Amino acid sequence: MSAGAIAKNQNASWRDYLELCKPGVVLLMILTSVIGMLLAVPGAVPLDIFLIGNLGIALCAGSAATVNHLVDRQIDQKMARTLNRPVAKGRVEPLNAGLFALVLGASGMALLLLFVNAITAYLTLASLLGYAVVYTLFLKRATPQNIVIGGIAGAAPPLLGWTAVTGEVAGHGLLLMLIIFAWTPPHFWALAVHRKDEYAKADIPMLPVTHGEHYTKIHILLYTIILLAVSLLPFATGMLNWFYLLGALALGLGFIYWALVMLFTERKNAGMQTFKYSIIYLMCLFVVMLIDHYALPVRMVIAP
């Protein structure tokens, strides 16, 4: 290791390692995991499952994010949005980042296996490998449908929360996962339109790079329509009540509005504004779920 590299590595702080975990992304994931837990039962979630389950999921998510930093360090150096990331900038050495990811992932898996249940641990591991290996190493560089296919891994947290409490995969838990799966393409494609030139420079085949902005904007609109339809399923299946229905309609129509703005106007920052709204959309949708679940509980009819 050169003297310059050693000097850079010595400048690494706890903030650099925290940044490797993508805390903003992980917090959004944990929000959906927490609400997945709370929706799984009519009453309170056991405190140990609530705390340890979410901690284990968060550690594994941080591990996957760190692997993403590690694998994409050369790509990150070519993009303004990611240029100053710790590994790309040299503040954290690749070996240290790899060891950090291993410790996080192993710790998270141990917590889930020992104190939660095996199915949650294995599903979390599958999600980690899906994002860190299948998406980051292969799909991201191989196909403009990388976000669609890879979105399966990122959509898992509410299902993980559900299984942590119940110990089983249920239809309503899968439905929560389906909502995030449908949300992922328009969320990321809006950012990809805004950052198209950077993705092209990094030779990443994002949809606006390979098929153009107009084509991508049409697909953003189509996926937001699909998302609106999917988001109504918790009401249609009797999982949630009218308050959720109204919230899902209002939020979904807001997303469609921004998709239309992208498609039919020349507003310079429409892509980034749509991307930001998509984050607000997902947070608010899950909060509305939680309010509906406790304020207007659905009575379960038990057959004689």
Side-chain angles (χ1 to χ4, degrees):
M1 184 185 300
S2 68
I6 293 173
K8 286 181 180 179
N9 194 47
Q10 288 174 341
N11 290 331
S13 70
W14 65 268
R15 291 183 180 85
D16 291 315
Y17 284 95
L18 178 63
E19 185 179 346
L20 290 179
C21 299
K22 299 186 179 180
V25 175
V26 172
L27 283 174
L28 183 59
M29 294 173 68
I30 294 304
L31 172 66
T32 64
S33 170
V34 165
I35 294 176
M37 287 183 174
L38 296 173
L39 294 180
V41 291
V45 175
L47 185 60
D48 58 336
I49 296 296
F50 183 84
L51 295 176
I52 298 175
N54 283 302
L55 177 59
I57 293 167
L59 288 171
C60 289
S63 174
T66 302
V67 173
N68 179 264
H69 277 263
L70 178 62
V71 173
D72 282 354
R73 62 189 184 275
Q74 294 179 336
I75 293 173
D76 289 343
Q77 292 170 358
K78 301 176 182 178
M79 301 179 66
R81 182 174 66 92
T82 57
L83 178 63
N84 290 315
R85 284 179 171 176
V87 181
K89 202 66 175 178
R91 295 192 304 274
V92 176
E93 288 296 311
L95 176 60
N96 292 344
L99 292 173
F100 183 62
L102 181 61
V103 170
L104 288 180
S107 300
M109 283 297 298
L111 289 175
L112 295 174
L113 279 171
L114 294 175
F115 300 106
V116 182
N117 55 57
I119 190 169
T120 303
Y122 296 141
L123 287 174
T124 303
L125 178 61
S127 176
L128 188 163
L129 293 176
Y131 178 76
V133 179
V134 178
Y135 169 73
T136 302
L137 276 175
F138 299 106
L139 288 175
K140 187 173 183 177
R141 295 159 172 79
T143 171
Q145 294 298 313
N146 45 23
I147 290 301
V148 178
I149 304 169
I152 297 173
L159 177 62
L160 301 179
W162 189 287
T163 62
V165 175
T166 65
E168 63 181 11
V169 176
H172 284 157
L174 289 169
L175 185 51
L176 298 177
M177 181 176 175
L178 179 62
I179 290 172
I180 300 182
F181 178 68
W183 166 85
T184 301
H187 164 70
F188 275 104
W189 282 337
L191 177 64
V193 168
H194 184 76
R195 300 286 188 179
K196 183 188 72 172
D197 292 341
E198 293 183 25
Y199 281 112
K201 181 180 178 182
D203 199 27
I204 298 298
M206 298 299 288
L207 196 63
V209 175
T210 60
H211 290 71
E213 289 188 25
H214 184 71
Y215 181 91
T216 304
K217 291 173 182 178
I218 291 173
H219 280 72
I220 289 173
L221 177 59
L222 293 175
Y223 268 87
T224 55
I225 294 171
I226 292 171
L227 174 61
L228 176 60
V230 168
S231 72
L232 301 183
L233 291 177
F235 173 78
T237 59
M239 177 184 179
L240 294 169
N241 218 315
W242 62 265
F243 181 78
Y244 170 76
L245 174 64
L246 294 179
L249 283 171
L251 290 165
L253 291 174
F255 207 156
I256 289 174
Y257 164 78
W258 280 109
L260 290 170
V261 168
M262 287 192 68
L263 183 58
F264 293 112
T265 74
E266 298 297 327
R267 193 179 299 186
K268 183 178 179 181
N269 293 320
M272 181 55 69
Q273 290 173 320
T274 305
F275 173 76
K276 291 178 179 178
Y277 177 82
S278 71
I279 297 172
I280 295 170
Y281 166 88
L282 191 66
M283 293 173 62
C284 290
L285 186 72
F286 273 77
V287 170
V288 168
M289 286 182 188
L290 189 60
I291 294 171
D292 187 284
H293 177 68
Y294 286 110
L296 299 165
V298 176
R299 289 186 176 91
M300 301 301 292
V301 177
I302 301 176

